[in-house]
Amino acid sequence: MNMPRNGFKAALARNATQYGIWAGFATGYAAEIVAGLGYDWMLIDGEHAPNTVPSVLNQLQTVAPYTTAPVVRAVNGDASLIKQLLDVGAQTLMIPMVETAEQAQALVRAMRYPPHGIRGVGGGLTRATRWDGVADYLNTAHEELCLIVQVESRLGVENVAAIAAVEGVDAVFIGPADLSIGLGHAGNPSHPEVQERIRHAVDATLAAGKVSGILAPNEEDARRYQAWGCRFIAVAIDISLLRQSALATLARYRPAADTQAPSRTY
């Protein structure tokens, strides 16, 4: 059996924007709906959604027949958790709150087998190897794995050039919400200081020869970040879409009590 191909990693190598959607319902049923819509990639969120390793596995299995590529965000950079997520078949991981090159190097090691890393060998126990069905998995797994580090703090942006330069880091994803609150502008990622720091992070990532991505459900934001050079952009969040659509539908029949515009914090 051949190694499963990582379509997302292959797409990053092309000079075309990959449009993604956040999948936050933590169920295979909802994930399958999202996977069938035509987005280039979907983020299975293990940081802020109530996901566990078994629920991530369920969603990976559910969306496997679709062309939308799954990206799994871990709750943190714990090496044991990374091992579990890789073993159940995640090929692209996003790790939040990376602030130094040393952190990025540790994440690379967590994703690779010795002598280049510390990932434990699961062999025939793991879905990643197709239960020992993939020939020479131990020596070739890294070729189809993709590591996205998330830069979303003042310190992370200060160190973004060094983080992006780490061998084994494939892409840098910027988190506007955490960055804005870390810079003292809670709920206002459009603040000039936040925008300047985002632009700096994008430029430094591109200068290191890596790919930059961002979460931008607001169209104006998404198009600006695309013009700056971001090549994978999450332009929707499934939970937000449900809420906004439900409110808009009700408002057609009853004056809306909640007239607040959709948040641009994310």
Side-chain angles (χ1 to χ4, degrees):
M1 182 180 296
N2 292 328
M3 176 81 69
R5 179 176 177 271
N6 188 336
F8 180 80
K9 184 173 184 176
L12 290 186
R14 301 192 294 267
N15 190 30
T17 305
Q18 303 297 305
Y19 295 106
I21 182 168
W22 232 246
F25 283 108
T27 70
Y29 202 80
E32 186 170 9
I33 295 171
V34 169
L37 297 178
Y39 286 86
D40 298 303
W41 60 281
M42 61 183 293
L43 192 286
I44 300 173
D45 192 1
E47 183 183 14
H48 293 299
N51 271 305
T52 62
V53 173
S55 70
V56 169
L57 168 60
N58 173 254
Q59 290 166 83
L60 290 173
Q61 292 172 319
T62 300
V63 306
Y66 297 89
T67 57
T68 299
V71 175
V72 176
R73 179 163 73 166
V75 68
N76 57 38
D78 180 76
S80 296
L81 176 60
I82 288 173
K83 173 176 59 180
Q84 287 184 298
L85 292 172
L86 294 179
D87 281 355
V88 299
Q91 289 185 298
T92 301
L93 294 184
M94 181 186 295
I95 309 298
M97 204 56 73
V98 176
E99 298 186 303
T100 67
E102 290 74 20
Q103 278 182 278
Q105 291 163 354
L107 295 172
V108 173
R109 291 194 296 272
M111 293 186 66
R112 297 189 177 185
Y113 291 117
H116 305 293
I118 62 170
R119 181 182 174 187
V121 178
L125 291 173
T126 68
R127 178 174 179 265
T129 71
R130 294 307 184 264
W131 301 280
D132 257 353
V134 175
D136 201 27
Y137 178 86
L138 296 179
N139 291 314
T140 60
H142 66 280
E143 297 172 4
E144 297 296 336
L145 296 182
C146 180
L147 173 61
I148 305 167
V149 296
Q150 196 164 350
V151 169
E152 49 187 343
S153 69
R154 183 188 297 271
L155 180 59
V157 172
E158 289 174 358
N159 291 323
V160 66
I163 291 169
V166 171
E167 183 180 356
V169 168
D170 296 287
V172 174
F173 191 88
I174 301 159
D178 279 295
L179 180 57
S180 63
I181 196 169
L183 292 173
H185 309 293
N188 186 16
S190 297
H191 189 281
E193 183 184 10
V194 182
Q195 289 295 296
E196 185 278 327
R197 292 285 79 193
I198 291 174
R199 184 68 183 267
H200 169 75
V202 173
D203 289 346
T205 299
L206 299 181
K210 302 297 176 65
V211 183
S212 181
I214 199 164
L215 174 59
N218 178 274
E219 182 179 355
E220 180 184 348
D221 294 336
R223 294 194 182 280
R224 181 173 64 259
Y225 298 142
Q226 181 186 26
W228 287 356
C230 288
R231 284 297 170 262
F232 65 110
I233 305 172
V235 295
I237 301 172
D238 59 358
I239 292 174
S240 299
L241 292 175
L242 172 61
R243 184 176 187 276
Q244 292 159 15
S245 179
L247 286 171
T249 298
L250 181 60
R252 293 202 296 267
Y253 303 98
R254 179 189 302 159
D258 184 356
T259 58
Q260 183 177 346
S263 172
R264 294 180 65 166
T265 300
Y266 301 101

PDB file of all heavy atoms in Angstrom, residues 220-237:
ATOM      1  N   GLU A 220     -13.350  41.528   3.625  1.00  0.00           N
ATOM      2  CA  GLU A 220     -12.396  42.626   3.465  1.00  0.00           C
ATOM      3  C   GLU A 220     -11.032  42.256   4.041  1.00  0.00           C
ATOM      4  O   GLU A 220      -9.989  42.511   3.428  1.00  0.00           O
ATOM      5  CB  GLU A 220     -12.937  43.880   4.146  1.00  0.00           C
ATOM      6  CG  GLU A 220     -12.022  45.087   4.043  1.00  0.00           C
ATOM      7  CD  GLU A 220     -12.545  46.285   4.817  1.00  0.00           C
ATOM      8  OE1 GLU A 220     -13.716  46.259   5.247  1.00  0.00           O
ATOM      9  OE2 GLU A 220     -11.777  47.246   5.018  1.00  0.00           O
ATOM     10  N   ASP A 221     -11.045  41.642   5.222  1.00  0.00           N
ATOM     11  CA  ASP A 221      -9.792  41.212   5.841  1.00  0.00           C
ATOM     12  C   ASP A 221      -9.111  40.145   4.986  1.00  0.00           C
ATOM     13  O   ASP A 221      -7.905  40.202   4.732  1.00  0.00           O
ATOM     14  CB  ASP A 221     -10.055  40.652   7.236  1.00  0.00           C
ATOM     15  CG  ASP A 221     -10.567  41.698   8.206  1.00  0.00           C
ATOM     16  OD1 ASP A 221     -10.308  42.897   7.988  1.00  0.00           O
ATOM     17  OD2 ASP A 221     -11.235  41.311   9.187  1.00  0.00           O
ATOM     18  N   ALA A 222      -9.896  39.162   4.544  1.00  0.00           N
ATOM     19  CA  ALA A 222      -9.324  38.044   3.784  1.00  0.00           C
ATOM     20  C   ALA A 222      -8.651  38.527   2.505  1.00  0.00           C
ATOM     21  O   ALA A 222      -7.553  38.068   2.156  1.00  0.00           O
ATOM     22  CB  ALA A 222     -10.424  37.034   3.468  1.00  0.00           C
ATOM     23  N   ARG A 223      -9.295  39.446   1.815  1.00  0.00           N
ATOM     24  CA  ARG A 223      -8.716  39.930   0.560  1.00  0.00           C
ATOM     25  C   ARG A 223      -7.457  40.756   0.805  1.00  0.00           C
ATOM     26  O   ARG A 223      -6.508  40.728   0.015  1.00  0.00           O
ATOM     27  CB  ARG A 223      -9.763  40.716  -0.224  1.00  0.00           C
ATOM     28  CG  ARG A 223     -10.920  39.829  -0.698  1.00  0.00           C
ATOM     29  CD  ARG A 223     -11.778  40.508  -1.740  1.00  0.00           C
ATOM     30  NE  ARG A 223     -12.892  39.658  -2.144  1.00  0.00           N
ATOM     31  CZ  ARG A 223     -12.795  38.650  -3.013  1.00  0.00           C
ATOM     32  NH1 ARG A 223     -11.629  38.367  -3.579  1.00  0.00           N
ATOM     33  NH2 ARG A 223     -13.862  37.941  -3.331  1.00  0.00           N
ATOM     34  N   ARG A 224      -7.429  41.505   1.896  1.00  0.00           N
ATOM     35  CA  ARG A 224      -6.227  42.268   2.231  1.00  0.00           C
ATOM     36  C   ARG A 224      -5.072  41.324   2.553  1.00  0.00           C
ATOM     37  O   ARG A 224      -3.946  41.514   2.068  1.00  0.00           O
ATOM     38  CB  ARG A 224      -6.505  43.203   3.410  1.00  0.00           C
ATOM     39  CG  ARG A 224      -5.296  44.053   3.806  1.00  0.00           C
ATOM     40  CD  ARG A 224      -5.646  45.090   4.861  1.00  0.00           C
ATOM     41  NE  ARG A 224      -6.059  44.497   6.144  1.00  0.00           N
ATOM     42  CZ  ARG A 224      -7.315  44.383   6.549  1.00  0.00           C
ATOM     43  NH1 ARG A 224      -8.300  44.804   5.796  1.00  0.00           N
ATOM     44  NH2 ARG A 224      -7.607  43.837   7.721  1.00  0.00           N
ATOM     45  N   TYR A 225      -5.336  40.314   3.355  1.00  0.00           N
ATOM     46  CA  TYR A 225      -4.273  39.376   3.714  1.00  0.00           C
ATOM     47  C   TYR A 225      -3.793  38.585   2.499  1.00  0.00           C
ATOM     48  O   TYR A 225      -2.606  38.266   2.377  1.00  0.00           O
ATOM     49  CB  TYR A 225      -4.758  38.426   4.811  1.00  0.00           C
ATOM     50  CG  TYR A 225      -5.137  39.120   6.112  1.00  0.00           C
ATOM     51  CD1 TYR A 225      -6.226  38.687   6.871  1.00  0.00           C
ATOM     52  CD2 TYR A 225      -4.413  40.216   6.583  1.00  0.00           C
ATOM     53  CE1 TYR A 225      -6.579  39.310   8.055  1.00  0.00           C
ATOM     54  CE2 TYR A 225      -4.757  40.854   7.768  1.00  0.00           C
ATOM     55  CZ  TYR A 225      -5.852  40.400   8.501  1.00  0.00           C
ATOM     56  OH  TYR A 225      -6.204  41.030   9.671  1.00  0.00           O
ATOM     57  N   GLN A 226      -4.714  38.273   1.606  1.00  0.00           N
ATOM     58  CA  GLN A 226      -4.305  37.604   0.376  1.00  0.00           C
ATOM     59  C   GLN A 226      -3.371  38.501  -0.437  1.00  0.00           C
ATOM     60  O   GLN A 226      -2.352  38.037  -0.969  1.00  0.00           O
ATOM     61  CB  GLN A 226      -5.530  37.236  -0.456  1.00  0.00           C
ATOM     62  CG  GLN A 226      -5.179  36.501  -1.759  1.00  0.00           C
ATOM     63  CD  GLN A 226      -6.400  36.272  -2.636  1.00  0.00           C
ATOM     64  OE1 GLN A 226      -7.377  37.012  -2.561  1.00  0.00           O
ATOM     65  NE2 GLN A 226      -6.344  35.237  -3.462  1.00  0.00           N
ATOM     66  N   ALA A 227      -3.701  39.779  -0.516  1.00  0.00           N
ATOM     67  CA  ALA A 227      -2.845  40.718  -1.246  1.00  0.00           C
ATOM     68  C   ALA A 227      -1.477  40.839  -0.598  1.00  0.00           C
ATOM     69  O   ALA A 227      -0.470  41.066  -1.285  1.00  0.00           O
ATOM     70  CB  ALA A 227      -3.525  42.086  -1.333  1.00  0.00           C
ATOM     71  N   TRP A 228      -1.426  40.672   0.720  1.00  0.00           N
ATOM     72  CA  TRP A 228      -0.146  40.732   1.422  1.00  0.00           C
ATOM     73  C   TRP A 228       0.702  39.482   1.195  1.00  0.00           C
ATOM     74  O   TRP A 228       1.897  39.499   1.462  1.00  0.00           O
ATOM     75  CB  TRP A 228      -0.384  40.913   2.919  1.00  0.00           C
ATOM     76  CG  TRP A 228      -0.861  42.276   3.302  1.00  0.00           C
ATOM     77  CD1 TRP A 228      -1.020  43.367   2.482  1.00  0.00           C
ATOM     78  CD2 TRP A 228      -1.239  42.707   4.623  1.00  0.00           C
ATOM     79  NE1 TRP A 228      -1.468  44.438   3.211  1.00  0.00           N
ATOM     80  CE2 TRP A 228      -1.617  44.071   4.516  1.00  0.00           C
ATOM     81  CE3 TRP A 228      -1.294  42.078   5.860  1.00  0.00           C
ATOM     82  CZ2 TRP A 228      -2.044  44.813   5.624  1.00  0.00           C
ATOM     83  CZ3 TRP A 228      -1.719  42.814   6.961  1.00  0.00           C
ATOM     84  CH2 TRP A 228      -2.085  44.163   6.840  1.00  0.00           C
ATOM     85  N   GLY A 229       0.086  38.406   0.750  1.00  0.00           N
ATOM     86  CA  GLY A 229       0.854  37.196   0.464  1.00  0.00           C
ATOM     87  C   GLY A 229       0.413  35.940   1.174  1.00  0.00           C
ATOM     88  O   GLY A 229       1.044  34.892   1.010  1.00  0.00           O
ATOM     89  N   CYS A 230      -0.654  36.003   1.970  1.00  0.00           N
ATOM     90  CA  CYS A 230      -1.155  34.781   2.622  1.00  0.00           C
ATOM     91  C   CYS A 230      -1.698  33.833   1.563  1.00  0.00           C
ATOM     92  O   CYS A 230      -2.455  34.249   0.683  1.00  0.00           O
ATOM     93  CB  CYS A 230      -2.252  35.117   3.627  1.00  0.00           C
ATOM     94  SG  CYS A 230      -1.645  35.943   5.112  1.00  0.00           S
ATOM     95  N   ARG A 231      -1.358  32.557   1.678  1.00  0.00           N
ATOM     96  CA  ARG A 231      -1.740  31.605   0.653  1.00  0.00           C
ATOM     97  C   ARG A 231      -2.671  30.509   1.157  1.00  0.00           C
ATOM     98  O   ARG A 231      -3.114  29.689   0.374  1.00  0.00           O
ATOM     99  CB  ARG A 231      -0.481  30.985   0.014  1.00  0.00           C
ATOM    100  CG  ARG A 231       0.225  31.913  -0.945  1.00  0.00           C
ATOM    101  CD  ARG A 231      -0.658  32.255  -2.147  1.00  0.00           C
ATOM    102  NE  ARG A 231      -0.084  33.328  -2.977  1.00  0.00           N
ATOM    103  CZ  ARG A 231      -0.445  34.606  -2.897  1.00  0.00           C
ATOM    104  NH1 ARG A 231      -1.375  34.970  -2.008  1.00  0.00           N
ATOM    105  NH2 ARG A 231       0.092  35.505  -3.675  1.00  0.00           N
ATOM    106  N   PHE A 232      -2.963  30.470   2.455  1.00  0.00           N
ATOM    107  CA  PHE A 232      -4.071  29.635   2.913  1.00  0.00           C
ATOM    108  C   PHE A 232      -4.815  30.421   3.987  1.00  0.00           C
ATOM    109  O   PHE A 232      -4.244  30.845   4.982  1.00  0.00           O
ATOM    110  CB  PHE A 232      -3.628  28.235   3.359  1.00  0.00           C
ATOM    111  CG  PHE A 232      -2.731  28.165   4.560  1.00  0.00           C
ATOM    112  CD1 PHE A 232      -3.190  27.651   5.771  1.00  0.00           C
ATOM    113  CD2 PHE A 232      -1.393  28.561   4.484  1.00  0.00           C
ATOM    114  CE1 PHE A 232      -2.362  27.554   6.873  1.00  0.00           C
ATOM    115  CE2 PHE A 232      -0.551  28.466   5.586  1.00  0.00           C
ATOM    116  CZ  PHE A 232      -1.050  27.965   6.792  1.00  0.00           C
ATOM    117  N   ILE A 233      -6.079  30.645   3.679  1.00  0.00           N
ATOM    118  CA  ILE A 233      -6.891  31.561   4.472  1.00  0.00           C
ATOM    119  C   ILE A 233      -8.186  30.865   4.855  1.00  0.00           C
ATOM    120  O   ILE A 233      -8.917  30.380   3.982  1.00  0.00           O
ATOM    121  CB  ILE A 233      -7.210  32.843   3.681  1.00  0.00           C
ATOM    122  CG1 ILE A 233      -5.914  33.512   3.170  1.00  0.00           C
ATOM    123  CG2 ILE A 233      -8.004  33.819   4.532  1.00  0.00           C
ATOM    124  CD1 ILE A 233      -6.154  34.664   2.224  1.00  0.00           C
ATOM    125  N   ALA A 234      -8.465  30.824   6.149  1.00  0.00           N
ATOM    126  CA  ALA A 234      -9.745  30.308   6.622  1.00  0.00           C
ATOM    127  C   ALA A 234     -10.753  31.442   6.530  1.00  0.00           C
ATOM    128  O   ALA A 234     -10.646  32.431   7.244  1.00  0.00           O
ATOM    129  CB  ALA A 234      -9.634  29.788   8.046  1.00  0.00           C
ATOM    130  N   VAL A 235     -11.727  31.294   5.638  1.00  0.00           N
ATOM    131  CA  VAL A 235     -12.662  32.383   5.361  1.00  0.00           C
ATOM    132  C   VAL A 235     -14.043  32.137   5.971  1.00  0.00           C
ATOM    133  O   VAL A 235     -14.957  32.933   5.759  1.00  0.00           O
ATOM    134  CB  VAL A 235     -12.798  32.610   3.837  1.00  0.00           C
ATOM    135  CG1 VAL A 235     -11.483  33.093   3.246  1.00  0.00           C
ATOM    136  CG2 VAL A 235     -13.263  31.334   3.131  1.00  0.00           C
ATOM    137  N   ALA A 236     -14.180  31.057   6.733  1.00  0.00           N
ATOM    138  CA  ALA A 236     -15.486  30.756   7.332  1.00  0.00           C
ATOM    139  C   ALA A 236     -15.294  29.904   8.577  1.00  0.00           C
ATOM    140  O   ALA A 236     -14.304  29.175   8.707  1.00  0.00           O
ATOM    141  CB  ALA A 236     -16.381  30.027   6.332  1.00  0.00           C
ATOM    142  N   ILE A 237     -16.259  29.990   9.484  1.00  0.00           N
ATOM    143  CA  ILE A 237     -16.315  29.164  10.690  1.00  0.00           C
ATOM    144  C   ILE A 237     -17.712  28.561  10.742  1.00  0.00           C
ATOM    145  O   ILE A 237     -18.713  29.291  10.717  1.00  0.00           O
ATOM    146  CB  ILE A 237     -16.056  30.002  11.957  1.00  0.00           C
ATOM    147  CG1 ILE A 237     -14.690  30.686  11.883  1.00  0.00           C
ATOM    148  CG2 ILE A 237     -16.152  29.143  13.210  1.00  0.00           C
ATOM    149  CD1 ILE A 237     -14.449  31.690  13.005  1.00  0.00           C
TER     150      ILE A 237
END
